[in-house]
Amino acid sequence: MKTVSDELLDELMDYMREAAEGEILPRFRSVTSDSIRAKTMADDIVTDADIASERVISERLKARLPGITIIGEEAVSDDASILAKLADADLAAVIDPVDGTWHFAHGTPMFGSILAIVSGGQTIAGIIHYPVLGDFLVARPGQGAWHVAADGSQTRLSVAAPSPINEMHGFIPLHMFEPGIRSELASRVLRFLRITTWRCSAWEYRMLATGAMSFCLNESLKPWDHAAGVLIHAEAGGYAATLACEAYRPTMTEGYLLTAPSEKSWNLVCDALTSSL
């Protein structure tokens, strides 16, 4: 498969709605201590909603697209070898069932579900669903990035307009960088108008693709966080590359990913932030 048709895109969105309505929203603000577990660290958590919604989406995808490789965040958490299958898969689905689980578990609505369809190592459809709002961001290569409202109406997305460094707003999760790099970055973020982190790729990509924020520097290259978002951002007019100047690919697992409104803006942000990293 090289492209995702309109019909298939609608079906994929339906699977995400089904998972949200059946498994995520009924548990929202009902999370208890016995339905939440830590994964790699105390604030890296998983809930019953993550596991159940990933199962629903995976089952629907397998039935609709026999032979598809499923790369689910929670499945990979249980068996890291699954992630290696992405590189050789003819067709794969990369799923983050509840991105922003920390927010979900603590009763705040800043979470989403992310799905990327990857063919031959390239993302051919990116979908981010926001269960509380009932809307989506979607993109396919060469077809633009779109906001799909709960009523089905669509609006084309566009990244932020070019601006000087001292007028830019950006996302940088300083706490996730190694201590030496963190101290370097901490002294440089003052060159920008505002720097923050929302602990949720689904919402950070929403702010980037709608022009509310200018850039994001990420320490981690997990495909469920970025495969869909980078495509949506690119189709909204943005530019992304690692600090090694490599174009992003869903199979990447190492490096720092910087997204910005344009290649020129990317170079400005890179020089301001990371010239010695």
Side-chain angles (χ1 to χ4, degrees):
M1 179 185 293
K2 299 302 181 185
T3 61
V4 170
S5 66
D6 292 346
E7 178 184 6
L8 178 55
L9 183 66
D10 288 341
E11 291 181 53
L12 298 175
M13 293 165 67
D14 284 342
Y15 303 157
M16 298 177 79
R17 285 193 194 95
E18 178 186 351
E21 293 171 2
E23 306 295 348
I24 298 174
L25 290 175
R27 293 179 168 93
F28 182 45
R29 293 179 175 162
S30 299
V31 175
T32 59
S33 58
D34 60 354
S35 64
I36 180 173
R37 278 85 67 194
K39 294 196 290 186
T40 60
M41 59 187 70
D43 65 349
D44 180 17
I45 57 178
V46 62
T47 70
D48 290 346
D50 297 77
I51 296 167
S53 57
E54 181 171 300
R55 183 182 65 248
V56 168
I57 296 170
S58 298
E59 289 174 352
R60 298 297 180 269
L61 287 167
K62 289 176 182 178
R64 177 62 176 83
L65 300 167
I68 192 170
T69 298
I70 303 294
I71 310 292
E73 179 184 10
E74 305 315 328
V76 172
S77 180
D78 290 336
D79 180 0
S81 69
I82 293 172
L83 183 56
K85 297 179 181 179
L86 182 59
D88 298 323
D90 291 331
L91 185 67
V94 181
I95 307 168
D96 191 339
V98 181
D99 182 64
T101 301
W102 188 92
H103 292 284
F104 174 83
H106 293 89
T108 64
M110 195 179 293
F111 60 90
S113 299
I114 306 176
L115 173 63
I117 303 299
V118 177
S119 177
Q122 299 295 322
T123 306
I124 59 173
I127 309 170
I128 305 179
H129 182 41
Y130 303 88
V132 174
L133 299 179
D135 61 356
F136 293 83
L137 302 188
V138 302
R140 289 168 289 176
Q143 299 189 47
W146 299 84
H147 173 256
V148 182
D151 65 3
S153 59
Q154 299 188 22
T155 304
R156 191 154 190 166
L157 302 176
S158 181
V159 297
S163 62
I165 288 292
N166 62 0
E167 295 179 9
M168 286 188 181
H169 300 242
F171 293 112
I172 302 177
L174 285 173
H175 67 285
M176 294 185 68
F177 287 83
E178 296 175 2
I181 294 176
R182 187 186 312 158
S183 61
E184 287 277 349
L185 288 174
S187 66
R188 299 180 182 200
V189 298
L190 299 177
R191 301 176 182 181
F192 300 89
L193 183 61
R194 183 177 67 178
I195 297 296
T196 188
T197 181
W198 282 7
R199 299 175 61 120
C200 179
S201 293
W203 274 91
E204 291 184 354
Y205 274 111
R206 184 181 181 118
M207 296 297 99
L208 293 168
T210 59
M213 299 289 277
S214 295
F215 70 91
C216 183
L217 178 64
N218 277 286
E219 172 271 346
S220 174
L221 287 183
K222 294 168 183 161
W224 42 82
D225 287 332
H226 303 295
V230 168
L231 175 62
I232 292 168
H233 179 255
E235 289 295 315
Y239 181 83
T242 69
L243 297 187
C245 298
E246 292 183 273
Y248 173 77
R249 301 184 307 277
T251 52
M252 288 178 163
T253 57
E254 296 182 358
Y256 302 111
L257 179 65
L258 178 62
T259 54
S262 66
E263 186 173 2
K264 181 178 180 180
S265 294
W266 189 96
N267 284 317
L268 290 174
V269 174
C270 186
D271 288 345
L273 269 180
T274 63
S275 58
S276 66
L277 299 184

